[in-house]
Amino acid sequence: MKQDQDLEARVSRKLMWRIIPFVMLLYFISFLDRVNVGFAAITMNKELGLSPTAFGLGGGLFFVGYFLFEVPSNLILHRVGARIWIARVMVTWGLISAASAFATGPNSFYVLRFLLGVAEAGFFPGIILYLSLWFPTRQRAVAAAWFMAAAPISVALGSPLSGAIMQLPPMFGLSDWQMLYIIEAAPAVILGFVVLKYMTDKPEQAHWLADDERTWLVARLKSEADAKKGGHGHTASAWSALKDLRVLALALIYFGTSAGLYTLGLWAPLMIREFGFTPFQTGLLSGVPSVVAVVAMVWWARHSDRSGERTWHVVIPCVVACIGFVLAGNAMTALFVVLSLVVVNVGISSAKAPLWAMPSTFLSGAGAAAGIAMINSLGNLGGFVGPFAIGWLKNRTGGYAAGLYVVAATLAVSAVVTLLLARNTRRAAVVEQGA
């Protein structure tokens, strides 16, 4: 027994150190290239003639391209392997992100944001699927939390970096916002080639594990997969997963968290900038909430894994984020805005890992590839609705409050749907046992 525990601990450490830092780095760059448009907007909007509505629309069009190509992309990844497909994703998104520097007006801005979404489709759900192929159930939420911690870390470190780049003098005939896109896109292209060398597709190929470690991990994952197949409502086919009401419910839950996350990414710098801060100061203040969020989300994920509870570990953070957006809508000072954004960040970040631990309890194989992609693609439409609602309502009302209340409402819906999903799952399980 002690020997098995030691072996499990050894494998767990190797998985965490080999896989998690690398996928975190990839997501760090990915998220930076998604949301640096919020800093580019400080001068880009005026140069390109973008109104708040046009900027919100362009920012959100990323998620339309993402939505349309997410499921096909993840099914291709399931067929060809994560190593090749993630490398392709990174190189193409890096090139298109760099091309954003050459937008000339609203229409080209819209097209490039849409194409960036197409290029990046499949990255996030592909990594979530990848983690489910490597980490046993008891470690899955923590692994996902560390991976997703790269998003707030990207904001915490990337915001001051983006702010600093925006203060560079013009070089090579390029404006500050153009330099921002090009400089921050380069790592994605470089890392795309690193992926081909470093990433391992599946445990059976992990030569960096000792023979007994590899054998134990493969057997453990197979045992969990076999147990899942005999469980309630298991779904293994892609078509069945796309029709599964649980998948649609999880997508609706994720919709609210995405609306909140990308509202922060695209609009928080502009909200803080209104108090008269320089771009660099704006970057520092934008990064503060994310530092707190990283600590909260990892602690919350560990608590969820240890307790084995997922529902309330999603509901409570969604309610917290909802309250944070309401507070931000009533903020009259820079300090109150930043404190409100801390509350929002903690809530949104903490909800994500327990939420993404749910699909793997009833999905496997092609069903997992399709289902996880569907949850992410539909849910990420919140990343369109949230930023666009902020811009449209700001045009009509002159302030951010109305849009922030709309985003808060989407998070309230996420909390309610999570509770309904849990109740229906319990009821279905009781009915099956009675039969």
Side-chain angles (χ1 to χ4, degrees), residues 211-360:
D211 290 343
D212 60 336
E213 295 168 346
R214 187 166 55 251
T215 300
W216 177 89
L217 179 60
V218 171
R220 176 66 173 272
L221 292 169
K222 184 179 186 302
S223 174
E224 290 185 355
D226 291 342
K228 183 165 56 178
K229 289 175 183 176
H232 165 68
H234 172 258
T235 300
S237 79
W239 181 241
S240 296
L242 296 179
K243 296 186 297 180
D244 196 315
L245 291 179
R246 293 169 296 181
V247 168
L248 298 177
L250 289 172
L252 182 56
I253 297 165
Y254 194 53
F255 183 96
T257 65
S258 295
L261 181 66
Y262 291 103
T263 291
L264 287 175
L266 270 67
W267 287 104
L270 294 176
M271 290 169 61
I272 293 171
R273 171 76 166 161
E274 285 200 342
F275 290 93
F277 296 105
T278 67
F280 182 66
Q281 291 169 335
T282 299
L284 289 175
L285 290 172
S286 297
V288 169
S290 300
V291 175
V292 183
V294 171
V295 177
M297 73 184 297
V298 173
W299 177 82
W300 194 245
R302 287 189 185 280
H303 190 275
S304 179
D305 269 352
R306 288 170 181 166
S307 66
E309 202 284 329
R310 305 300 187 196
T311 300
W312 287 103
H313 281 81
V314 174
V315 172
I316 293 172
C318 285
V319 172
V320 168
C322 173
I323 293 170
F325 273 118
V326 173
L327 293 174
N330 289 280
M332 302 299 293
T333 66
L335 177 61
F336 196 41
V337 167
V338 172
L339 291 176
S340 300
L341 295 180
V342 168
V343 175
V344 170
N345 261 283
V346 167
I348 289 173
S349 298
S350 297
K352 286 183 174 292
L355 173 60
W356 280 111
M358 291 179 176
S360 61

Side-chain angles (χ1 to χ4, degrees), residues 114-175:
F114 175 82
L115 290 177
L116 187 64
V118 172
E120 198 179 328
F123 173 77
F124 181 89
I127 297 295
I128 293 294
L129 177 64
Y130 183 70
L131 295 178
S132 74
L133 299 176
W134 284 88
F135 286 89
T137 303
R138 281 176 51 190
Q139 303 166 359
R140 210 160 282 166
V142 169
W146 277 113
F147 163 60
M148 289 183 283
I153 290 173
S154 180
V155 175
L157 300 180
S159 294
L161 174 64
S162 297
I165 293 172
M166 288 294 292
Q167 291 190 295
L168 290 174
M171 290 184 287
F172 311 111
L174 299 173
S175 300

